[in-house]
Amino acid sequence: MAKYSSKINKIRTFALSLIFVGFIIMYFGIFFRTHFLVMSIFMIFGLLAIIASTVVYFWIGMLSTRAVQVVCPNCKKPTKILGRVDMCMHCNEPLTLDPNLEGKEFDENYNRKSQTTKL
Ligand SMILES: [Zn+2]
């Protein structure tokens, strides 16, 4: 793991990149406008990528309703926790809902450990 970020933020970045990929594919299709079939294939794939990103955005919406909203103790902004352990969307502070990990979350050792081990 190179960099940690909130799960919802990660999925959102993925959905956004899908839209860009879709537009790039459709843009390449324009170069083949003399070949109607090739252009159509590019357009269909580009459209599929954009549809896929819409599906992913819808999925984020579903996940958000299941996520627990909390106020981050570090930056005092409201954020959402997905699963047992997640990161703050704003400052990447590790947050937990697990009572076993409670009390340890502001320990510097735990913070350092959570950056090197995958939870
Ligand atoms: Zn925060």
Side-chain angles (χ1 to χ4, degrees):
M1 287 299 287
K3 192 175 170 281
Y4 252 103
S5 71
S6 156
K7 282 166 196 155
I8 289 174
N9 276 358
K10 258 183 213 161
I11 302 164
R12 201 171 278 157
T13 308
F14 174 69
L16 196 70
S17 55
L18 263 182
I19 289 181
F20 280 113
V21 167
F23 277 114
I24 289 165
I25 294 169
M26 284 166 97
Y27 181 74
F28 276 114
I30 294 166
F31 288 108
F32 296 96
R33 58 177 163 237
T34 48
H35 308 279
F36 181 75
L37 192 73
V38 180
M39 191 186 81
S40 303
I41 290 165
F42 271 103
M43 289 297 169
I44 287 163
F45 274 106
L47 207 63
L48 279 176
I50 291 164
I51 290 166
S53 86
T54 312
V55 172
V56 173
Y57 266 114
F58 185 73
W59 182 48
I60 297 167
M62 299 280 282
L63 285 176
S64 294
T65 57
R66 272 172 42 203
V68 182
Q69 194 165 350
V70 294
V71 175
C72 173
N74 191 40
C75 64
K76 314 290 178 201
K77 285 177 189 161
T79 184
K80 280 174 175 175
I81 298 179
L82 206 60
R84 271 172 67 202
V85 180
D86 205 351
M87 296 305 205
C88 171
M89 283 183 195
H90 311 285
C91 65
N92 284 356
E93 170 85 8
L95 303 167
T96 180
L97 291 174
D98 194 327
N100 294 328
L101 294 171
E102 221 171 78
K104 290 179 185 174
E105 62 184 305
F106 305 118
D107 190 281
E108 245 179 59
N109 282 328
Y110 175 77
N111 280 349
R112 205 172 296 144
K113 202 179 163 192
S114 72
Q115 275 155 18
T116 50
T117 54
K118 201 181 176 208
L119 288 164

